[in-house]
Amino acid sequence: MCGIIGIVGREQVASRLMDGLRRLEYRGYDSAGICTIHDGALERRRAEGKLDNLARELVASPLDGAVGIAHTRWATHGAPTVGNAHPHVVDGVAVVHNGIIENFKALRDEMQSKGRRFESQTDSEVVAHLVADQLAQGLAPEAAVAAVLPRLHGAFAIAILFRDHPGMIIGARLGAPLTVGLGDGESYLGSDALALAALTQRIAYLEEGDWAVVTHDAVRIHDRDNNPVEREIVQSGVSAAIYDKGNHAHYMQKEIFEQPVVVAQTLQSYVRPLEQKVALPQMDFSFGPVPRITIVACGTSFYAGMVAKYWLEHFARVPVELDIASEFRYRDPVLEAGGLALFISQSGETADTLAALRHARAQGQKIAVVVNVPTSSMAREADLLLPTHAGPEVGVASTKAFTCQLAVLAALAAKVARDKGRMSEEEERDIVRHLSEAPAAMNAALAHDEDIKAMAHVIAEARDVLYLGRGQDYPLALEGALKLKEISYIHAEGYAAGEMKHGPIALIDDAVPIIVLAPSGPLFEKTVSNMQEVQARGGKVVLISDAEGIAQAGEGSIATIEMPKVHPLIAPLVYAIPVQLLAYHVAVAKGTDVDQPRNLAKSVTVE
Ligand code: G6P
Protein backbone atom coordinates (compact mmCIF):
# COMPACT_ATOMS: atom_id res chain seq x y z
CA MET A 1 0.00 0.00 0.00
CA CYS A 2 1.10 3.64 -0.27
CA GLY A 3 4.58 4.36 1.00
CA ILE A 4 5.96 7.61 2.37
CA ILE A 5 9.47 8.92 2.78
CA GLY A 6 10.67 12.40 3.72
CA ILE A 7 14.16 13.81 4.20
CA VAL A 8 15.19 17.08 5.83
CA GLY A 9 18.74 16.84 4.59
CA ARG A 10 21.95 18.74 4.18
CA GLU A 11 22.73 17.41 0.72
CA GLN A 12 20.75 16.70 -2.41
CA VAL A 13 17.86 14.37 -1.63
CA ALA A 14 16.27 13.28 -4.90
CA SER A 15 18.33 10.14 -5.36
CA ARG A 16 18.00 9.21 -1.68
CA LEU A 17 14.26 9.67 -1.84
CA MET A 18 14.20 7.40 -4.88
CA ASP A 19 16.23 4.82 -2.97
CA GLY A 20 13.71 5.02 -0.13
CA LEU A 21 10.86 4.54 -2.60
CA ARG A 22 12.57 1.42 -3.94
CA ARG A 23 12.59 0.04 -0.40
CA LEU A 24 8.87 0.75 -0.21
CA GLU A 25 8.09 -0.89 -3.54
CA TYR A 26 7.31 -4.18 -1.82
CA ARG A 27 4.19 -2.64 -0.29
CA GLY A 28 2.54 -2.49 -3.72
CA TYR A 29 1.83 0.68 -5.75
CA ASP A 30 0.77 1.87 -9.18
CA SER A 31 2.20 5.39 -9.44
CA ALA A 32 4.83 7.45 -7.65
CA GLY A 33 6.01 10.99 -7.11
CA ILE A 34 8.59 13.17 -5.45
CA CYS A 35 8.73 16.84 -4.44
CA THR A 36 11.63 18.95 -3.21
CA ILE A 37 12.14 22.55 -2.18
CA HIS A 38 14.66 24.42 -4.28
CA ASP A 39 15.30 28.15 -4.56
CA GLY A 40 12.11 29.00 -2.73
CA ALA A 41 9.89 26.81 -4.92
CA LEU A 42 8.30 23.38 -4.65
CA GLU A 43 9.37 21.18 -7.55
CA ARG A 44 7.61 17.96 -8.34
CA ARG A 45 7.95 14.93 -10.64
CA ARG A 46 5.33 12.21 -10.89
CA ALA A 47 4.85 9.11 -13.02
CA GLU A 48 2.37 6.30 -13.59
CA GLY A 49 3.41 2.70 -13.11
CA LYS A 50 6.74 1.45 -11.89
CA LEU A 51 9.47 3.52 -10.26
CA ASP A 52 11.61 3.18 -13.38
CA ASN A 53 9.20 5.58 -15.05
CA LEU A 54 9.73 8.12 -12.28
CA ALA A 55 13.48 7.52 -12.43
CA ARG A 56 13.38 8.32 -16.18
CA GLU A 57 11.48 11.54 -15.43
CA LEU A 58 14.19 12.49 -13.00
CA VAL A 59 16.92 11.81 -15.52
CA ALA A 60 15.12 13.91 -18.13
CA SER A 61 14.38 16.62 -15.64
CA PRO A 62 16.46 16.36 -12.44
CA LEU A 63 15.30 17.73 -9.11
CA ASP A 64 17.55 19.81 -6.88
CA GLY A 65 17.01 20.41 -3.20
CA ALA A 66 18.05 19.09 0.21
CA VAL A 67 14.55 18.72 1.62
CA GLY A 68 11.81 16.63 0.05
CA ILE A 69 9.02 14.09 0.32
CA ALA A 70 8.18 11.14 -1.91
CA HIS A 71 5.39 8.62 -2.27
CA THR A 72 4.36 5.36 -3.87
CA ARG A 73 0.60 5.38 -4.45
CA TRP A 74 -1.76 2.40 -4.41
CA ALA A 75 -4.89 3.85 -5.96
CA THR A 76 -8.06 4.03 -3.88
CA HIS A 77 -9.89 7.19 -5.00
CA GLY A 78 -9.12 7.99 -8.63
CA ALA A 79 -7.24 5.97 -11.26
CA PRO A 80 -3.46 5.54 -11.06
CA THR A 81 -2.70 8.49 -13.33
CA VAL A 82 -0.01 11.16 -13.12
CA GLY A 83 -2.65 13.69 -12.09
CA ASN A 84 -3.73 11.59 -9.12
CA ALA A 85 -0.19 10.69 -8.08
CA HIS A 86 1.17 12.33 -4.93
CA PRO A 87 2.60 14.74 -3.83
CA HIS A 88 -0.37 17.08 -4.18
CA VAL A 89 0.81 20.65 -4.30
CA VAL A 90 -1.48 23.55 -3.36
CA ASP A 91 -0.31 27.12 -2.71
CA GLY A 92 3.14 26.23 -1.45
CA VAL A 93 2.01 23.14 0.47
CA ALA A 94 2.93 19.63 -0.72
CA VAL A 95 1.24 16.57 0.78
CA VAL A 96 1.72 12.82 0.55
CA HIS A 97 -0.82 10.55 2.16
CA ASN A 98 -1.30 6.86 2.94
CA GLY A 99 -4.80 5.75 3.97
CA ILE A 100 -8.28 7.05 3.26
CA ILE A 101 -9.84 10.35 4.32
CA GLU A 102 -13.39 9.09 4.69
CA ASN A 103 -15.02 12.53 4.95
CA PHE A 104 -13.11 13.98 2.01
CA LYS A 105 -16.23 14.79 0.00
CA ALA A 106 -17.66 17.08 2.69
CA LEU A 107 -14.26 18.69 3.21
CA ARG A 108 -13.78 19.12 -0.56
CA ASP A 109 -17.22 20.73 -0.90
CA GLU A 110 -16.30 23.12 1.89
CA MET A 111 -12.99 24.02 0.22
CA GLN A 112 -14.66 24.38 -3.19
CA SER A 113 -17.25 26.70 -1.71
CA LYS A 114 -14.33 28.92 -0.73
CA GLY A 115 -13.28 29.03 -4.37
CA ARG A 116 -10.56 26.39 -4.18
CA ARG A 117 -10.01 24.31 -7.33
CA PHE A 118 -9.12 20.64 -7.19
CA GLU A 119 -6.85 19.00 -9.74
CA SER A 120 -7.23 15.32 -8.86
CA GLN A 121 -9.89 12.73 -8.05
CA THR A 122 -8.12 11.73 -4.85
CA ASP A 123 -9.28 11.99 -1.28
CA SER A 124 -5.74 13.14 -0.37
CA GLU A 125 -5.66 16.48 -2.18
CA VAL A 126 -8.13 17.92 0.30
CA VAL A 127 -5.47 17.73 3.03
CA ALA A 128 -3.23 20.10 1.05
CA HIS A 129 -6.15 22.50 0.57
CA LEU A 130 -7.12 22.43 4.22
CA VAL A 131 -3.57 23.18 5.34
CA ALA A 132 -3.13 25.88 2.68
CA ASP A 133 -6.40 27.42 3.79
CA GLN A 134 -5.19 27.65 7.39
CA LEU A 135 -1.88 29.17 6.29
CA ALA A 136 -3.82 31.73 4.24
CA GLN A 137 -5.60 32.71 7.43
CA GLY A 138 -2.23 33.56 8.94
CA LEU A 139 -1.51 30.42 10.94
CA ALA A 140 2.02 29.04 11.22
CA PRO A 141 2.55 25.52 9.79
CA GLU A 142 2.38 23.76 13.18
CA ALA A 143 -0.84 25.53 14.13
CA ALA A 144 -2.30 24.91 10.68
CA VAL A 145 -1.62 21.17 10.89
CA ALA A 146 -2.93 21.02 14.47
CA ALA A 147 -6.15 22.67 13.25
CA VAL A 148 -6.58 20.33 10.27
CA LEU A 149 -5.81 16.93 11.82
CA PRO A 150 -8.94 16.65 14.00
CA ARG A 151 -11.05 17.33 10.93
CA LEU A 152 -9.75 14.25 9.08
CA HIS A 153 -11.82 11.09 9.56
CA GLY A 154 -10.47 7.71 8.52
CA ALA A 155 -6.95 6.42 8.46
CA PHE A 156 -3.89 8.33 7.47
CA ALA A 157 -0.18 8.77 7.56
CA ILE A 158 0.83 12.06 5.98
CA ALA A 159 3.91 14.13 5.33
CA ILE A 160 3.70 17.84 4.49
CA LEU A 161 6.30 20.12 2.97
CA PHE A 162 6.01 23.94 3.18
CA ARG A 163 7.56 26.13 0.47
CA ASP A 164 7.96 29.04 2.84
CA HIS A 165 9.46 26.98 5.67
CA PRO A 166 12.08 25.03 3.79
CA GLY A 167 13.85 23.39 6.75
CA MET A 168 11.03 21.19 7.92
CA ILE A 169 8.49 18.47 7.19
CA ILE A 170 5.46 17.77 9.33
CA GLY A 171 4.25 14.19 9.59
CA ALA A 172 1.16 12.75 11.26
CA ARG A 173 -0.41 9.34 11.73
CA LEU A 174 -3.74 7.85 12.69
CA GLY A 175 -4.50 4.29 11.69
CA ALA A 176 -1.53 3.99 9.31
CA PRO A 177 2.08 3.64 10.38
CA LEU A 178 4.73 6.39 10.29
CA THR A 179 8.20 6.48 11.78
CA VAL A 180 10.69 9.28 12.31
CA GLY A 181 14.42 8.75 11.88
CA LEU A 182 17.32 10.66 13.37
CA GLY A 183 20.50 11.17 11.39
CA ASP A 184 23.58 13.31 11.64
CA GLY A 185 22.29 16.83 11.15
CA GLU A 186 19.42 15.31 9.16
CA SER A 187 16.03 13.88 10.06
CA TYR A 188 13.64 11.63 8.23
CA LEU A 189 10.09 10.35 7.99
CA GLY A 190 9.16 6.96 6.59
CA SER A 191 6.28 4.51 6.44
CA ASP A 192 8.49 1.91 8.06
CA ALA A 193 12.00 1.22 9.23
CA LEU A 194 12.80 -0.42 5.89
CA ALA A 195 12.23 2.85 4.03
CA LEU A 196 14.84 4.49 6.26
CA ALA A 197 17.23 1.53 6.42
CA ALA A 198 19.93 3.15 4.27
CA LEU A 199 19.63 6.50 6.06
CA THR A 200 19.54 5.66 9.75
CA GLN A 201 18.96 2.93 12.29
CA ARG A 202 17.80 5.37 15.00
CA ILE A 203 14.07 5.61 14.74
CA ALA A 204 10.96 6.34 16.77
CA TYR A 205 7.54 4.92 15.99
CA LEU A 206 4.79 7.51 16.12
CA GLU A 207 1.79 6.48 18.21
CA GLU A 208 -1.83 6.79 17.11
CA GLY A 209 -2.76 10.46 16.71
CA ASP A 210 0.84 11.71 16.97
CA TRP A 211 2.20 14.42 14.73
CA ALA A 212 5.83 15.41 14.41
CA VAL A 213 7.76 18.46 13.27
CA VAL A 214 10.91 17.17 11.64
CA THR A 215 13.82 19.60 11.19
CA HIS A 216 17.55 19.19 10.50
CA ASP A 217 18.56 18.58 14.05
CA ALA A 218 15.39 17.88 15.95
CA VAL A 219 12.15 15.98 15.86
CA ARG A 220 9.38 17.43 18.01
CA ILE A 221 6.50 15.02 18.57
CA HIS A 222 3.01 15.91 19.79
CA ASP A 223 0.15 13.65 20.78
CA ARG A 224 -3.39 13.96 19.44
CA ASP A 225 -4.14 16.64 22.06
CA ASN A 226 -1.13 18.63 20.85
CA ASN A 227 0.87 18.01 24.02
CA PRO A 228 4.61 17.62 23.42
CA VAL A 229 5.56 13.96 23.98
CA GLU A 230 8.71 11.87 23.88
CA ARG A 231 8.70 8.61 21.97
CA GLU A 232 11.40 6.09 22.57
CA ILE A 233 14.26 6.10 20.08
CA VAL A 234 15.09 2.53 19.16
CA GLN A 235 17.69 0.87 16.96
CA SER A 236 15.64 -0.43 14.05
CA GLY A 237 17.98 -3.35 13.45
CA VAL A 238 16.78 -3.38 9.84
CA SER A 239 19.82 -3.38 7.66
CA ALA A 240 19.80 -2.13 4.10
CA ALA A 241 21.25 -5.54 3.20
CA ILE A 242 17.92 -7.35 3.41
CA TYR A 243 17.38 -5.99 -0.05
CA ASP A 244 19.97 -8.39 -1.28
CA LYS A 245 18.27 -11.30 -3.06
CA GLY A 246 21.44 -13.36 -2.84
CA ASN A 247 21.46 -16.03 -5.54
CA HIS A 248 17.74 -15.86 -6.01
CA ALA A 249 15.88 -14.35 -8.91
CA HIS A 250 13.09 -12.98 -6.74
CA TYR A 251 12.46 -12.10 -3.10
CA MET A 252 9.64 -14.60 -3.09
CA GLN A 253 12.00 -17.39 -4.09
CA LYS A 254 14.51 -16.28 -1.46
CA GLU A 255 11.79 -16.20 1.18
CA ILE A 256 10.47 -19.65 0.23
CA PHE A 257 13.96 -21.07 0.64
CA GLU A 258 14.52 -19.29 3.95
CA GLN A 259 11.65 -21.15 5.57
CA PRO A 260 13.49 -24.00 7.31
CA VAL A 261 15.79 -21.47 8.96
CA VAL A 262 13.16 -18.94 10.00
CA VAL A 263 10.76 -21.62 11.23
CA ALA A 264 13.59 -23.03 13.37
CA GLN A 265 14.36 -19.51 14.56
CA THR A 266 10.70 -18.97 15.48
CA LEU A 267 10.41 -22.31 17.24
CA GLN A 268 13.33 -21.40 19.50
CA SER A 269 10.96 -19.02 21.30
CA TYR A 270 8.15 -21.57 21.54
CA VAL A 271 9.64 -24.94 22.40
CA ARG A 272 12.20 -26.01 24.96
CA PRO A 273 13.70 -29.09 23.33
CA LEU A 274 15.71 -30.16 26.38
CA GLU A 275 12.75 -30.07 28.72
CA GLN A 276 10.51 -31.21 25.84
CA LYS A 277 7.92 -28.56 26.63
CA VAL A 278 6.14 -25.90 24.68
CA ALA A 279 6.65 -22.41 26.06
CA LEU A 280 5.30 -19.06 24.98
CA PRO A 281 7.46 -15.93 25.16
CA GLN A 282 4.96 -14.56 27.72
CA MET A 283 4.37 -17.34 30.23
CA ASP A 284 2.17 -15.36 32.62
CA PHE A 285 -0.93 -15.98 30.52
CA SER A 286 -3.14 -18.92 31.51
CA PHE A 287 -5.55 -20.32 28.98
CA GLY A 288 -7.28 -22.54 31.54
CA PRO A 289 -10.32 -20.31 32.03
CA VAL A 290 -10.66 -19.25 28.36
CA PRO A 291 -14.07 -20.59 27.21
CA ARG A 292 -13.76 -19.77 23.52
CA ILE A 293 -11.22 -18.47 21.05
CA THR A 294 -12.09 -16.17 18.16
CA ILE A 295 -9.50 -16.07 15.38
CA VAL A 296 -9.53 -13.14 12.98
CA ALA A 297 -7.19 -12.38 10.05
CA CYS A 298 -7.00 -11.61 6.32
CA GLY A 299 -5.48 -13.31 3.29
CA THR A 300 -2.79 -15.89 3.87
CA SER A 301 -2.83 -15.16 7.60
CA PHE A 302 -6.50 -16.17 7.62
CA TYR A 303 -5.56 -19.58 6.22
CA ALA A 304 -2.99 -19.99 9.00
CA GLY A 305 -5.87 -19.27 11.38
CA MET A 306 -7.97 -21.91 9.67
CA VAL A 307 -5.30 -24.54 10.29
CA ALA A 308 -5.07 -23.34 13.91
CA LYS A 309 -8.80 -23.93 14.36
CA TYR A 310 -8.26 -27.63 13.58
CA TRP A 311 -5.38 -27.82 16.04
CA LEU A 312 -6.99 -25.88 18.88
CA GLU A 313 -10.21 -27.85 18.66
CA HIS A 314 -8.44 -31.17 18.29
CA PHE A 315 -5.82 -30.79 21.01
CA ALA A 316 -7.39 -28.35 23.46
CA ARG A 317 -11.10 -29.12 22.85
CA VAL A 318 -11.80 -25.40 23.00
CA PRO A 319 -14.45 -24.02 20.63
CA VAL A 320 -12.91 -21.77 17.99
CA GLU A 321 -14.68 -19.20 15.84
CA LEU A 322 -12.85 -18.07 12.74
CA ASP A 323 -13.54 -14.98 10.73
CA ILE A 324 -12.21 -12.82 7.94
CA ALA A 325 -11.45 -9.46 9.54
CA SER A 326 -13.54 -7.37 7.16
CA GLU A 327 -16.58 -9.57 7.87
CA PHE A 328 -16.04 -9.94 11.61
CA ARG A 329 -16.38 -6.34 12.60
CA TYR A 330 -19.58 -5.67 10.72
CA ARG A 331 -21.53 -8.83 11.53
CA ASP A 332 -22.00 -8.00 15.20
CA PRO A 333 -20.32 -11.16 16.50
CA VAL A 334 -21.35 -12.63 19.86
CA LEU A 335 -18.23 -12.59 22.01
CA GLU A 336 -18.36 -14.52 25.24
CA ALA A 337 -17.11 -12.80 28.42
CA GLY A 338 -13.57 -13.92 29.24
CA GLY A 339 -13.01 -15.00 25.65
CA LEU A 340 -9.74 -14.72 23.83
CA ALA A 341 -9.55 -13.04 20.44
CA LEU A 342 -6.53 -14.09 18.39
CA PHE A 343 -5.35 -11.92 15.52
CA ILE A 344 -2.85 -13.16 12.95
CA SER A 345 -0.95 -10.79 10.71
CA GLN A 346 2.40 -10.59 8.98
CA SER A 347 2.50 -6.80 8.93
CA GLY A 348 0.52 -6.03 12.08
CA GLU A 349 -0.96 -3.09 10.20
CA THR A 350 -3.73 -4.58 8.02
CA ALA A 351 -6.53 -2.06 8.51
CA ASP A 352 -9.38 -4.57 8.76
CA THR A 353 -7.56 -6.80 11.23
CA LEU A 354 -6.52 -3.84 13.36
CA ALA A 355 -10.07 -2.50 13.43
CA ALA A 356 -11.35 -5.98 14.33
CA LEU A 357 -8.82 -6.14 17.17
CA ARG A 358 -10.06 -2.84 18.56
CA HIS A 359 -13.65 -4.01 18.22
CA ALA A 360 -12.87 -7.21 20.14
CA ARG A 361 -11.09 -5.26 22.86
CA ALA A 362 -14.09 -2.95 23.21
CA GLN A 363 -16.20 -6.11 23.68
CA GLY A 364 -14.05 -7.18 26.62
CA GLN A 365 -11.97 -9.84 24.89
CA LYS A 366 -8.36 -10.55 25.80
CA ILE A 367 -6.21 -9.86 22.77
CA ALA A 368 -3.55 -12.26 21.49
CA VAL A 369 -1.58 -11.35 18.37
CA VAL A 370 0.62 -13.53 16.15
CA VAL A 371 2.61 -10.97 14.22
CA ASN A 372 5.84 -10.69 12.26
CA VAL A 373 6.56 -6.98 12.71
CA PRO A 374 7.25 -6.51 16.42
CA THR A 375 6.89 -2.73 16.30
CA SER A 376 3.55 -2.79 14.48
CA SER A 377 0.28 -1.39 15.77
CA MET A 378 -1.13 -4.86 16.49
CA ALA A 379 1.99 -5.88 18.40
CA ARG A 380 1.68 -2.79 20.54
CA GLU A 381 -1.99 -3.36 21.28
CA ALA A 382 -1.71 -7.03 22.30
CA ASP A 383 -2.23 -8.46 25.77
CA LEU A 384 -0.42 -11.57 24.62
CA LEU A 385 2.21 -10.99 21.95
CA LEU A 386 3.24 -14.05 19.95
CA PRO A 387 5.94 -12.90 17.53
CA THR A 388 6.97 -14.83 14.46
CA HIS A 389 10.65 -14.47 13.62
CA ALA A 390 10.44 -14.70 9.85
CA GLY A 391 12.46 -11.50 9.33
CA PRO A 392 11.27 -8.86 6.88
CA GLU A 393 9.09 -10.34 4.14
CA VAL A 394 9.44 -8.38 0.91
CA GLY A 395 7.60 -10.47 -1.70
CA VAL A 396 3.97 -9.33 -1.77
CA ALA A 397 2.71 -12.92 -1.68
CA SER A 398 3.28 -14.15 1.86
CA THR A 399 5.34 -17.33 2.23
CA LYS A 400 7.74 -17.54 5.15
CA ALA A 401 5.47 -15.50 7.41
CA PHE A 402 2.77 -18.14 6.84
CA THR A 403 4.84 -21.14 7.92
CA CYS A 404 6.22 -19.22 10.90
CA GLN A 405 2.63 -18.39 11.88
CA LEU A 406 1.80 -22.10 11.67
CA ALA A 407 4.76 -22.96 13.90
CA VAL A 408 3.61 -20.47 16.54
CA LEU A 409 0.00 -21.60 16.30
CA ALA A 410 0.91 -25.27 16.72
CA ALA A 411 2.85 -24.43 19.89
CA LEU A 412 -0.02 -22.25 21.06
CA ALA A 413 -2.51 -25.08 20.55
CA ALA A 414 -0.36 -27.37 22.68
CA LYS A 415 0.00 -24.72 25.39
CA VAL A 416 -3.76 -24.15 25.51
CA ALA A 417 -4.31 -27.91 25.67
CA ARG A 418 -1.84 -28.23 28.56
CA ASP A 419 -3.37 -25.32 30.48
CA LYS A 420 -6.79 -26.86 30.05
CA GLY A 421 -5.58 -30.24 31.20
CA ARG A 422 -6.43 -31.81 27.85
CA MET A 423 -2.90 -32.87 26.93
CA SER A 424 -0.60 -35.16 28.87
CA GLU A 425 3.11 -34.48 29.35
CA GLU A 426 3.83 -37.34 27.02
CA GLU A 427 1.65 -35.88 24.28
CA GLU A 428 3.37 -32.55 24.81
CA ARG A 429 6.74 -34.24 24.35
CA ASP A 430 5.48 -35.72 21.09
CA ILE A 431 4.35 -32.31 19.86
CA VAL A 432 7.76 -30.81 20.69
CA ARG A 433 9.50 -33.64 18.88
CA HIS A 434 7.35 -33.28 15.74
CA LEU A 435 7.70 -29.51 15.68
CA SER A 436 11.46 -29.82 16.05
CA GLU A 437 11.46 -32.09 13.00
CA ALA A 438 9.63 -29.53 10.87
CA PRO A 439 12.65 -27.52 9.59
CA ALA A 440 14.38 -30.67 8.29
CA ALA A 441 11.17 -31.90 6.66
CA MET A 442 10.72 -28.49 5.03
CA ASN A 443 14.26 -28.76 3.68
CA ALA A 444 13.39 -32.14 2.21
CA ALA A 445 10.32 -30.57 0.57
CA LEU A 446 12.47 -27.81 -0.95
CA ALA A 447 14.67 -30.46 -2.53
CA HIS A 448 11.79 -31.08 -4.99
CA ASP A 449 12.08 -27.59 -6.43
CA GLU A 450 13.39 -28.82 -9.78
CA ASP A 451 10.56 -31.39 -10.19
CA ILE A 452 8.02 -28.68 -9.54
CA LYS A 453 9.73 -26.31 -11.95
CA ALA A 454 9.73 -29.02 -14.59
CA MET A 455 5.94 -29.45 -14.46
CA ALA A 456 5.02 -25.79 -13.99
CA HIS A 457 4.46 -25.25 -17.72
CA VAL A 458 1.44 -27.59 -17.60
CA ILE A 459 -0.24 -25.35 -15.05
CA ALA A 460 0.96 -22.17 -16.77
CA GLU A 461 -1.15 -23.09 -19.81
CA ALA A 462 -4.34 -23.57 -17.80
CA ARG A 463 -7.11 -21.01 -17.49
CA ASP A 464 -8.57 -22.52 -14.32
CA VAL A 465 -6.98 -24.67 -11.64
CA LEU A 466 -8.59 -26.48 -8.70
CA TYR A 467 -6.85 -27.30 -5.42
CA LEU A 468 -8.33 -30.00 -3.20
CA GLY A 469 -7.56 -30.96 0.39
CA ARG A 470 -9.30 -32.32 3.46
CA GLY A 471 -9.08 -31.50 7.14
CA GLN A 472 -6.08 -29.32 7.90
CA ASP A 473 -4.98 -29.66 4.28
CA TYR A 474 -8.12 -27.88 3.12
CA PRO A 475 -6.74 -24.47 4.23
CA LEU A 476 -3.58 -25.41 2.34
CA ALA A 477 -5.67 -25.96 -0.79
CA LEU A 478 -7.13 -22.48 -0.31
CA GLU A 479 -3.67 -21.03 0.23
CA GLY A 480 -2.34 -22.82 -2.88
CA ALA A 481 -5.14 -21.35 -4.97
CA LEU A 482 -4.58 -17.90 -3.50
CA LYS A 483 -0.84 -18.03 -4.23
CA LEU A 484 -1.48 -19.04 -7.85
CA LYS A 485 -4.08 -16.31 -8.38
CA GLU A 486 -1.92 -13.65 -6.73
CA ILE A 487 1.21 -14.05 -8.76
CA SER A 488 0.33 -15.90 -11.97
CA TYR A 489 -3.15 -14.37 -12.51
CA ILE A 490 -4.58 -17.81 -13.26
CA HIS A 491 -8.04 -18.36 -11.88
CA ALA A 492 -7.81 -20.94 -9.12
CA GLU A 493 -10.16 -22.27 -6.46
CA GLY A 494 -9.40 -24.20 -3.30
CA TYR A 495 -12.03 -26.70 -2.25
CA ALA A 496 -12.62 -29.13 0.56
CA ALA A 497 -12.17 -32.38 -1.36
CA GLY A 498 -15.49 -33.78 -0.13
CA GLU A 499 -17.38 -30.67 -1.18
CA MET A 500 -16.31 -30.90 -4.78
CA LYS A 501 -19.30 -33.02 -5.75
CA HIS A 502 -21.54 -30.14 -4.75
CA GLY A 503 -20.53 -27.86 -7.55
CA PRO A 504 -16.97 -27.60 -8.79
CA ILE A 505 -17.04 -31.09 -10.30
CA ALA A 506 -19.09 -29.49 -13.07
CA LEU A 507 -15.95 -27.59 -14.08
CA ILE A 508 -13.89 -30.71 -14.61
CA ASP A 509 -12.62 -31.44 -18.08
CA ASP A 510 -9.20 -32.16 -19.46
CA ALA A 511 -8.33 -28.46 -19.51
CA VAL A 512 -8.60 -28.02 -15.74
CA PRO A 513 -5.64 -29.29 -13.73
CA ILE A 514 -6.50 -30.40 -10.19
CA ILE A 515 -3.85 -30.19 -7.52
CA VAL A 516 -4.60 -32.71 -4.78
CA LEU A 517 -2.93 -32.31 -1.37
CA ALA A 518 -3.11 -35.70 0.29
CA PRO A 519 -0.48 -36.78 2.80
CA SER A 520 -0.93 -40.45 3.69
CA GLY A 521 -2.75 -40.67 6.99
CA PRO A 522 -6.25 -40.69 8.46
CA LEU A 523 -8.01 -38.76 5.68
CA PHE A 524 -6.00 -40.14 2.78
CA GLU A 525 -8.50 -42.74 1.55
CA LYS A 526 -11.33 -40.23 1.52
CA THR A 527 -9.35 -37.64 -0.40
CA VAL A 528 -8.21 -40.27 -2.87
CA SER A 529 -11.85 -41.25 -3.51
CA ASN A 530 -12.60 -37.63 -4.39
CA MET A 531 -9.54 -37.57 -6.59
CA GLN A 532 -10.74 -40.65 -8.44
CA GLU A 533 -14.11 -39.03 -9.05
CA VAL A 534 -12.21 -36.25 -10.76
CA GLN A 535 -10.06 -38.63 -12.82
CA ALA A 536 -13.14 -40.58 -13.90
CA ARG A 537 -14.33 -37.37 -15.56
CA GLY A 538 -11.11 -36.76 -17.45
CA GLY A 539 -9.60 -34.41 -14.87
CA LYS A 540 -5.81 -34.02 -14.93
CA VAL A 541 -4.56 -34.62 -11.42
CA VAL A 542 -1.29 -33.49 -9.86
CA LEU A 543 -0.92 -35.46 -6.63
CA ILE A 544 1.15 -34.01 -3.81
CA SER A 545 1.74 -36.74 -1.27
CA ASP A 546 4.48 -38.81 0.36
CA ALA A 547 6.06 -41.92 -1.17
CA GLU A 548 3.45 -44.16 0.46
CA GLY A 549 0.56 -42.05 -0.82
CA ILE A 550 2.02 -41.81 -4.31
CA ALA A 551 2.59 -45.58 -4.44
CA GLN A 552 -1.02 -46.17 -3.46
CA ALA A 553 -2.78 -43.57 -5.55
CA GLY A 554 -0.34 -41.89 -7.93
CA GLU A 555 -1.31 -43.93 -10.96
CA GLY A 556 -3.27 -41.97 -13.52
CA SER A 557 -1.96 -38.59 -12.31
CA ILE A 558 -0.30 -36.34 -14.85
CA ALA A 559 2.37 -35.59 -12.26
CA THR A 560 3.23 -36.39 -8.67
CA ILE A 561 5.21 -34.28 -6.23
CA GLU A 562 6.77 -36.28 -3.43
CA MET A 563 6.92 -34.88 0.07
CA PRO A 564 8.68 -36.46 3.04
CA LYS A 565 6.44 -38.57 5.26
CA VAL A 566 5.62 -36.41 8.26
CA HIS A 567 3.39 -36.40 11.29
CA PRO A 568 -0.01 -34.82 10.48
CA LEU A 569 0.74 -31.95 12.87
CA ILE A 570 3.56 -30.59 10.75
CA ALA A 571 2.07 -31.54 7.37
CA PRO A 572 0.72 -28.01 6.77
CA LEU A 573 4.19 -26.51 7.27
CA VAL A 574 5.67 -28.98 4.81
CA TYR A 575 2.86 -28.96 2.21
CA ALA A 576 2.93 -25.17 2.12
CA ILE A 577 6.23 -25.44 0.28
CA PRO A 578 5.13 -27.27 -2.90
CA VAL A 579 2.11 -25.00 -3.33
CA GLN A 580 4.32 -21.94 -2.95
CA LEU A 581 6.93 -23.29 -5.35
CA LEU A 582 4.29 -24.29 -7.87
CA ALA A 583 2.77 -20.80 -7.90
CA TYR A 584 6.26 -19.31 -8.11
CA HIS A 585 7.41 -21.38 -11.07
CA VAL A 586 4.12 -20.93 -12.91
CA ALA A 587 4.41 -17.16 -12.48
CA VAL A 588 8.01 -17.22 -13.72
CA ALA A 589 6.93 -19.32 -16.71
CA LYS A 590 4.22 -16.78 -17.47
CA GLY A 591 6.63 -13.88 -17.04
CA THR A 592 4.58 -11.99 -14.46
CA ASP A 593 5.99 -9.59 -11.87
CA VAL A 594 6.43 -12.16 -9.10
CA ASP A 595 7.42 -9.85 -6.26
CA GLN A 596 5.03 -7.04 -7.08
CA PRO A 597 1.97 -8.58 -8.72
CA ARG A 598 -0.46 -6.17 -10.33
CA ASN A 599 -3.04 -4.48 -8.10
CA LEU A 600 -1.80 -6.12 -4.90
CA ALA A 601 -0.32 -4.51 -1.82
CA LYS A 602 1.82 -6.09 0.85
CA SER A 603 0.29 -4.31 3.76
CA VAL A 604 -3.32 -3.32 3.20
CA THR A 605 -3.77 -0.23 5.34
CA VAL A 606 -7.17 0.75 3.96
CA GLU A 607 -10.47 -1.02 4.59
C1 G6P B 1 -2.24 -8.66 1.66
C2 G6P B 1 -1.01 -9.44 1.24
C3 G6P B 1 -1.16 -10.90 1.66
C4 G6P B 1 -1.45 -11.01 3.15
C5 G6P B 1 -2.67 -10.16 3.54
C6 G6P B 1 -2.83 -10.06 5.05
O1 G6P B 1 -3.33 -9.07 0.91
O2 G6P B 1 -0.80 -9.35 -0.14
O3 G6P B 1 0.03 -11.61 1.37
O4 G6P B 1 -1.68 -12.33 3.49
O5 G6P B 1 -2.52 -8.83 3.07
O6 G6P B 1 -1.76 -9.32 5.56
P1 G6P B 1 -1.20 -9.41 7.02
O7 G6P B 1 -0.02 -8.47 7.03
O8 G6P B 1 -2.29 -8.94 7.94
O9 G6P B 1 -0.82 -10.81 7.28
Side-chain angles (χ1 to χ4, degrees), residues 35 106 229 237 308 354 362 404 532 557 562 585:
C35 182
V229 283
L354 186 57
C404 287
Q532 277 153 358
S557 306
E562 189 184 320
H585 287 301

Side-chain angles (χ1 to χ4, degrees), residues 205 345-349 371-379 385 388:
Y205 292 90
S345 175
Q346 188 286 126
S347 62
E349 301 292 350
V371 68
N372 196 41
V373 180
T375 50
S376 60
S377 303
M378 284 181 222
L385 177 60
T388 48

Side-chain angles (χ1 to χ4, degrees), residues 200-251:
T200 185
Q201 297 274 299
R202 292 171 60 221
I203 61 170
Y205 292 90
L206 295 185
E207 304 268 330
E208 283 293 68
D210 280 0
W211 58 281
V213 182
V214 177
T215 58
H216 284 104
D217 33 33
V219 172
R220 282 179 288 120
I221 304 177
H222 307 78
D223 65 14
R224 66 171 84 215
D225 299 320
N226 302 324
N227 301 311
V229 283
E230 298 281 328
R231 299 291 178 221
E232 193 188 353
I233 312 280
V234 294
Q235 287 289 323
S236 80
V238 177
S239 97
I242 71 146
Y243 278 86
D244 182 8
K245 290 182 211 148
N247 296 328
H248 297 283
H250 298 94
Y251 290 112

